[in-house]
Amino acid sequence: MNTSTTIHIYTESTPNPHSMKFVFNMELLPEGMSFDYTQPADGLTKEKNSPLAVALFGFDFVSRVFITNNFITLTKSESVAWEDELFGIKTYLKKYFEEKQPVFSLPEAAIADDQSNDTPAIKQIKQALDEYVRPAVESDGGAITFHSFDEATGQVKVLLQGSCSGCPSSTMTLKQGIEALLTRMVPGVKEVVAEGV
């Protein structure tokens, strides 16, 4: 008796012309979690060990892998066209999941997010990001994660991942969208900057 689920994958283009979003009919990670890989070695670290990310870097044109709840965003090198590579990647991903190969080999501690030390302002910032920003950013194949808040300067640092990394419109989205929202919603927030972009 075969009880396996049929794996469905569809692609969506993103605002970043070099990134493509591969959406699955299954959960890859718990809601709100994401991992960004800029090189194969990232997938071998204890904190974000991913056999899948390492395997995807086996495709010469893949320059970045981003994995979140139900999609993977791949960023390619400029020298290739998506239309030449999509079929091969989708076929590979379908086979990978049909064979029930692992996405991650993570310690359980990596799955927990300790929010017990968050100040009221940080809780408000995280809630605003989760409710108003994350869904829009994920629909474009990326993710946004709270990094830090300096109450003295009013500066919020966020991590932009997936298709947002290197996207020409990410700076405009950050300043005109996210910064405008947080400065209106959270007292004390004066500026939002992207960390590590």
Side-chain angles (χ1 to χ4, degrees):
M1 182 169 98
N2 187 356
T3 60
S4 65
T5 304
T6 303
I7 307 297
H8 294 287
I9 306 168
Y10 69 91
T11 55
E12 291 180 2
S13 56
T14 72
N16 182 345
H18 301 297
S19 294
M20 186 67 67
K21 183 175 169 183
F22 295 80
V23 184
F24 295 80
N25 66 327
M26 56 187 257
E27 185 176 76
L28 307 176
L29 262 179
E31 187 72 37
M33 289 191 69
S34 61
F35 292 93
D36 200 16
Y37 304 89
T38 58
Q39 58 187 341
D42 291 349
L44 300 173
T45 63
K46 189 173 106 177
E47 298 80 24
K48 52 185 192 177
N49 187 313
S50 174
L52 175 59
V54 173
L56 288 170
F57 277 111
F59 290 87
D60 290 344
F61 64 90
V62 173
S63 62
R64 186 177 209 122
V65 176
F66 173 74
I67 304 171
T68 192
N69 177 254
N70 71 332
F71 68 87
I72 297 170
T73 299
L74 297 179
T75 304
K76 66 173 184 65
S77 57
E78 292 183 29
S79 60
V80 300
W82 275 120
E83 49 271 7
D84 297 334
E85 306 298 343
L86 281 181
F87 181 77
I89 285 281
K90 282 176 76 172
T91 302
Y92 177 81
L93 288 169
K94 189 170 174 56
K95 184 173 189 261
Y96 190 94
F97 286 105
E98 284 173 346
E99 293 175 354
K100 299 191 183 325
Q101 295 192 54
V103 177
F104 294 100
S105 300
L106 292 173
E108 287 303 314
I111 303 296
D113 178 23
D114 182 24
Q115 300 179 3
S116 58
N117 296 328
D118 288 352
T119 66
I122 290 174
K123 287 179 182 169
Q124 282 184 290
I125 292 165
K126 286 182 175 181
Q127 183 179 356
L129 290 174
D130 286 346
E131 287 183 32
Y132 301 105
V133 180
R134 180 167 289 128
V137 172
E138 284 183 352
S139 73
D140 285 339
I144 184 166
T145 308
F146 172 82
H147 182 270
S148 62
F149 176 52
D150 184 332
E151 297 202 21
T153 64
Q155 184 183 73
V156 175
K157 288 185 180 176
V158 295
L159 298 172
L160 295 175
Q161 300 170 308
S163 67
C164 297
S165 300
C167 176
S169 62
S170 66
T171 303
M172 188 171 70
T173 300
L174 184 71
K175 290 298 179 184
Q176 294 178 357
I178 301 165
E179 184 176 272
L181 176 82
L182 289 179
T183 53
R184 269 195 334 267
M185 293 186 73
V186 184
V189 172
K190 295 179 176 40
E191 178 186 30
V192 178
V193 297
E195 180 74 5
V197 174

